């Protein structure tokens, strides 16, 4: 196989740094675990508690600042800004949680600040994967973002395994972890957070590295799932043993850049010896270098950006983005699916409490573990579809993921705990996959030039949806609690507490499926295409693509 522009050890080190950052960059995901305790401690209502969950998402309204900052500041500095916001936002809550001077509006503002910090770190991870992996950027983005689904699992495992935290309240333990862990990891990975130009290496080494990364990632996800399911029985591993095994698997990806670095060093030594032998033979002046173009590279030149490999109709940004019909179809289909799933996960604590489940952390860990596999799924699809020459549209993938998610909401109407666990796993998987696919869908629809700003504008649907859907759920919950408790309005017990909510969420997710199908039909002419050379001169489409051809003729 002829050499081509491929990621080197420095590129893979940046991916490992992104993976570690993503693993701890979901501190808000553990909110359901301590939300009930926080409600009792600060004497707030369910509606007020919902606004705190919204506050974390509200920070995303200003997430586009991180995209602008990434255009002018080093990426490691952008990551530090995000970690600092989390340190202040959660750290102040930890220090003054028991003090009556810490009012409700203080909690809201501090949680919003920490939520905005998540956007800054996400922007760094996305840009590193897009800029450092060229034609493999889709796979790299999906791999990195899959680890974001493990955040809740990591934080719940840390809280259960660290001796000092086991003796304190759940609320203070999680607030401390949320404040300190992202900053510590950012300090460790900061040297690797840089954009590196692609170098000429054997493409086979890149394929091998991705395959090894897939194996490590699958093992990590399996460990997380086994730990989540095993925590319900006494025969499983202890919390500390499980955390150690998970930590070892999270550290294992660093072996990939280390192995590539050793290989690169050995290759340089071999080249030096070869040049010395040629010089000793005295034939160096007689050698004519012939540059043989790589037929598989087509018209793509070395160092080309992902935009050259995956070009949308045009680069869209700024006011032009807001005037695009595709943007609004994308915005609302995301809000009625991925955002809706996040709202469900934010309410897991109250849902578990209403059904009298003793261990909320088990349900949260389960959703986190399956969310991890959901985020990983697009990476497998991208890797193998590119090898076989098939074209996979991101909007088409999103539409196919929304349908089972809508069905899972209706399954929740059954009061059985089995259906609660099953639906949580399905919603966690689909939500994780949709949020992962959405990163590449933004570049597919609107290009890579303004990605940092564009994607943060798109995810502003999350706070909007969180406010609307979350408030509706909290209102119905509080109304049910008042009816059952004679006007106390504090706790609601029974499957009926969320019955109307699940009906509404399921219906809205079905609407999101229709909107995303329409977006796919509109964008099929340019979205998801592979270069002609990579696809063997022709792009083959899936059955869903052929079906969309019939629908799109009317639009």
């Amino acid at each position: 196989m002829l050499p081509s522009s491929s990621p080197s050890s420095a590129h893979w080190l940046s991916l490992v740094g992104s993976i570690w950052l993503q693993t701890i960059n979901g501190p808000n995901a553990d909110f359901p675990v301590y939300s009930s305790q926080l409600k009792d401690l600060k004497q707030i209502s369910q509606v007020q508690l919902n606004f705190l969950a919204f506050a974390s998402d509200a920070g995303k309204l200003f997430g586009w600042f991180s995209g602008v900052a990434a255009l002018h500041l080093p990426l490691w500095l952008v990551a530090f800004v995000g970690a600092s916001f989390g340190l202040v936002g959660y750290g102040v809550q930890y220090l003054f949680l028991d003090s009556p001077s810490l009012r409700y509006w203080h909690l809201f503002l501090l949680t919003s600040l920490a939520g905005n910090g998540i956007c800054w770190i996400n922007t760094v991870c996305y840009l590193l994967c897009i800029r450092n992996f060229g034609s493999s950027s889709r796979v790299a983005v999906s791999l990195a973002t899959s680890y974001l689904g493990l955040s809740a699992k990591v934080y719940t495992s840390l809280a259960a395994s660290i001796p000092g935290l086991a003796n304190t309240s759940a609320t203070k333990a999680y607030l401390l972890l949320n404040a300190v862990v992202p900053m510590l990891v950012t300090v460790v990975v900061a040297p690797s957070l840089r954009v590196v130009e692609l170098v000429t290496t054997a493409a086979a080494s890149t394929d091998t590295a991705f395959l090894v990364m897939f194996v490590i990632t699958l093992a990590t996800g399996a460990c997380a799932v086994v730990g989540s399911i095993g925590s319900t029985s006494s025969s499983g591993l202890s919390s500390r043993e499980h955390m150690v095994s998970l930590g070892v698997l999270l550290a294992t990806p660093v072996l990939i850049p280390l192995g590539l670095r050793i290989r690169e060093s050995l290759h340089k030594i071999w080249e030096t010896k070869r040049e010395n032998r040629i010089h000793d033979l005295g034939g160096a002046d007689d050698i004519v270098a012939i540059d043989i173009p790589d037929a598989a590279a087509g018209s793509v030149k070395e160092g080309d950006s992902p935009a050259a490999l995956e070009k949308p109709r045009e680069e869209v940004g700024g006011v032009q983005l807001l005037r695009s019909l595709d943007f609004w179809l994308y915005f609302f289909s995301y809000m009625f699916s991925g955002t809706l799933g996040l709202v469900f996960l934010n309410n897991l604590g109250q849902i578990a409490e209403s059904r009298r489940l003793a261990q909320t952390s088990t349900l949260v860990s389960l959703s986190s573990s399956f969310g991890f596999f959901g985020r990983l799924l697009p990476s497998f699809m991208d890797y193998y579809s590119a090898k076989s020459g098939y074209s996979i549209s991101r909007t088409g993938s999103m539409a196919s993921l929304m349908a089972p998610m809508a069905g899972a909401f209706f399954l929740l109407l059954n009061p059985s705990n089995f259906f609660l666990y099953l639906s949580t796993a399905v919603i966690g998987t689909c939500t994780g996959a949709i949020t992962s696919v959405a990163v590449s869908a933004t570049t597919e629809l609107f290009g890579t030039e303004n990605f940092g700003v564009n994607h943060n504008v798109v995810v502003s649907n999350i706070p909007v949806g969180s406010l609307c859907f979350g408030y509706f759920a909290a209102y119905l919950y509080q109304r049910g609690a008042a009816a059952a408790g004679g006007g106390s309005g504090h706790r609601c017990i029974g499957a009926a507490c969320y019955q109307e909510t699940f009906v509404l969420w399921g219906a809205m997710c079905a609407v999101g499926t229709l909107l995303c199908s329409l977006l796919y039909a509109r964008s099929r002419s340019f979205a998801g295409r592979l270069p002609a050379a990579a696809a063997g001169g022709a792009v083959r489409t899936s059955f869903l693509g052929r079906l969309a051809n019939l629908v799109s003729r009317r639009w």
Side-chain angles (χ1 to χ4, degrees):
M1 182 176 294
L2 292 174
S4 60
S5 295
S6 304
S8 64
S9 59
H11 300 84
W12 278 95
L13 188 61
S14 72
L15 179 60
V16 173
S18 299
I19 285 173
W20 289 351
L21 280 179
Q22 289 285 278
T23 302
I24 50 81
N25 197 36
N28 56 338
D30 58 32
F31 180 75
V33 181
Y34 65 88
S35 59
S36 295
Q37 188 179 92
L38 179 65
K39 183 170 70 172
D40 294 336
L41 182 64
K42 304 305 290 185
Q43 293 297 306
I44 58 180
S45 68
Q46 181 65 27
V47 172
Q48 289 176 309
L49 186 68
N50 172 75
F51 280 129
L52 284 184
F54 158 73
S56 179
D57 295 327
K60 295 179 174 64
L61 289 172
F62 304 97
W64 58 271
F65 278 113
S66 62
V68 175
L71 296 175
H72 306 284
L73 299 176
L75 292 181
W76 63 266
L77 182 57
V78 176
F80 267 112
V81 172
S84 300
F85 286 171
L87 181 65
V88 174
Y90 289 117
V92 173
Q93 292 185 57
Y94 168 78
L95 293 174
F96 299 99
L97 184 65
D98 298 325
S99 173
S101 60
L102 185 66
R103 305 296 179 83
Y104 177 78
W105 68 271
H106 294 147
L107 292 175
F108 186 92
L109 292 179
L110 290 169
T111 304
S112 298
L113 179 65
N116 183 255
I118 294 174
C119 297
W120 290 68
I121 295 179
N122 278 341
T123 298
V124 171
C125 296
Y126 298 155
L127 290 177
L128 281 173
C129 293
I130 290 173
R131 295 176 181 175
N132 276 349
F133 280 84
S135 59
S136 302
S137 60
R138 275 187 171 188
V139 183
V141 167
S142 297
L143 270 173
T145 56
S146 66
Y147 280 83
L148 184 61
L150 283 182
S151 287
K153 177 61 183 175
V154 169
Y155 282 109
T156 54
S157 298
L158 285 173
S161 59
I162 298 178
L165 295 179
N167 299 324
T168 186
S169 69
T171 302
K172 298 203 72 172
Y174 282 104
L175 288 175
L176 178 62
L177 290 173
N178 293 349
V180 174
V181 173
M183 178 57 75
L184 292 178
V185 174
T186 302
V187 170
V188 172
V189 305
S192 68
L193 305 180
R194 58 193 180 94
V195 177
V196 186
E197 291 186 5
L198 292 175
V199 297
T200 302
T201 59
S205 63
T206 301
D207 292 341
T208 302
F210 272 121
L211 290 175
V212 172
M213 190 67 233
F214 283 140
V215 172
I216 295 173
T217 305
L218 285 173
T220 305
C223 178
V225 170
V226 169
S228 300
I229 298 176
S231 61
T232 59
S233 63
S234 58
S235 59
L237 294 175
S238 67
S239 299
R240 190 171 302 177
E241 291 172 338
H242 176 63
M243 188 65 239
V244 169
S245 60
L246 190 60
V248 170
L249 287 170
L250 289 172
T252 304
V254 79
L255 296 177
I256 295 177
L258 180 62
L260 288 174
R261 181 60 180 171
I262 294 174
R263 177 174 177 169
E264 291 166 3
S265 299
L266 293 176
H267 181 72
K268 288 181 179 179
I269 294 174
W270 181 83
E271 285 292 333
T272 302
K273 291 182 178 180
R274 179 174 174 275
E275 290 175 359
N276 290 336
R277 286 198 301 269
I278 293 175
H279 176 75
D280 292 341
L281 291 173
D285 294 335
D286 299 327
I287 296 177
V288 179
I290 301 177
D291 186 12
I292 303 177
D294 189 350
S299 60
V300 180
K301 298 179 180 179
E302 182 175 332
D304 273 353
S305 66
L309 297 166
E310 184 181 287
K311 190 71 175 177
R313 287 177 298 182
E314 58 180 334
E315 292 285 342
V316 181
V319 178
Q320 187 182 7
L321 180 72
L322 301 179
R323 293 175 178 173
S324 169
L325 175 60
D326 287 347
F327 167 76
W328 292 110
L329 288 173
Y330 183 34
F331 184 91
F332 285 109
S333 61
Y334 193 149
M335 187 168 75
F336 295 158
S337 57
T339 297
L340 198 55
L342 294 176
V343 174
F344 168 78
L345 299 178
N346 284 339
N347 281 271
L348 266 182
Q350 304 304 309
I351 294 172
E353 182 186 67
S354 68
R355 300 202 180 193
R356 298 185 183 278
L357 288 182
Q359 294 182 324
T360 305
S361 60
T362 300
L363 196 62
V364 174
S365 296
L366 184 70
S367 66
S368 176
S369 301
F370 277 91
F372 168 79
F373 278 109
R375 291 172 180 269
L376 181 62
L377 181 61
S379 183
F380 282 111
M381 294 172 63
D382 286 332
Y383 181 79
Y384 288 106
S385 64
K387 291 292 182 184
S388 60
Y390 280 93
S391 170
I392 297 181
S393 168
R394 316 309 280 169
T395 51
S397 300
M398 290 176 66
S400 63
L401 289 164
M402 294 177 190
M405 187 174 172
F409 280 119
F410 290 112
L411 280 179
L412 287 167
L413 297 176
N414 190 301
S416 170
N417 287 340
F418 170 77
F419 286 101
L420 174 60
Y421 282 104
L422 176 63
S423 297
T424 298
V426 172
I427 294 172
T429 301
C430 293
T431 300
I434 289 170
T435 53
S436 177
V437 169
V439 178
S440 297
T442 302
T443 60
E444 179 181 87
L445 293 170
F446 311 117
T448 60
E449 184 177 335
N450 302 293
F451 170 80
V453 176
N454 286 352
H455 193 65
N456 281 293
V457 172
V458 170
V459 297
S460 65
N461 78 83
I462 295 178
V464 176
S466 178
L467 177 62
C468 298
F469 301 131
Y471 177 79
F472 182 82
Y475 170 76
L476 292 178
Y477 176 95
Q478 193 160 296
R479 188 183 66 179
S488 63
H490 188 58
R491 296 186 187 279
C492 181
I493 303 298
C497 296
Y498 282 91
Q499 192 168 29
E500 295 176 79
T501 300
F502 293 147
V503 171
L504 175 71
W505 287 355
M508 297 308 295
C509 193
V511 172
T513 305
L514 294 176
L515 292 177
C516 198
S517 299
L518 175 59
L519 175 62
Y520 175 51
R522 284 176 51 83
S523 62
R524 66 174 181 81
S525 61
F526 65 92
R529 286 192 173 183
L530 297 175
V539 179
R540 288 172 282 179
T541 58
S542 63
F543 170 77
L544 183 60
R546 294 192 296 271
L547 182 62
N549 291 342
L550 300 176
V551 177
S552 61
R553 290 175 184 174
R554 297 185 176 271
W555 297 90

